[in-house]
Amino acid sequence: MGKFATSATKITNARAAAEDLVSCAREELDGQPSFGLLFATSQYDTEALASHVSELLDGVPLWGGSSANGVFQDAGWVTGEGGAAALMLATDRPAGVGVAAVGDDAV
């Protein structure tokens, strides 16, 4: 069975936030992560944050999303005037993306 670890930060610099997120999540993780989920508020330079997290994870698949006001983490809701970001890493869990044609009627 895999293990999950989370981290959150209110550091406003995207590179420093990425380093904090990855470092703190890895401290709590047993083994090499098999995938990561990154969420950040709109105050962040999303491209800089996601690309540095991805670089630090060295090939680990990374997915994510954005939020207007804050992010959830194990400790609860994290928000700050300069933004907030959260990362979840998991071990021993296969991960991938699938697609399917919707056609003309999305319902």
Side-chain angles (χ1 to χ4, degrees):
M1 206 57 150
K3 181 170 186 219
F4 296 90
T6 64
S7 59
T9 188
K10 294 190 271 183
I11 296 172
T12 56
N13 177 278
R15 285 187 66 85
E19 291 169 10
D20 185 53
L21 288 167
V22 173
S23 173
C24 290
R26 280 189 182 266
E27 283 178 14
E28 301 299 320
L29 197 65
D30 293 331
Q32 175 69 14
S34 55
F35 74 90
L37 293 173
L38 173 66
F39 291 92
T41 59
S42 58
Q43 291 92 335
Y44 280 93
D45 176 344
T46 307
E47 186 175 332
L49 180 66
S51 58
H52 196 50
V53 167
S54 184
E55 178 185 313
L56 293 169
L57 291 176
D58 193 29
V60 172
L62 180 66
W63 293 276
S66 61
S67 172
N69 295 324
V71 293
F72 278 104
Q73 195 252 351
D74 289 350
W77 185 246
V78 180
T79 189
E81 191 173 307
L87 176 67
M88 181 183 79
L89 298 177
T91 61
D92 301 327
R93 301 285 177 168
V97 175
V99 296
V102 175
D104 293 334
D105 185 10
V107 176

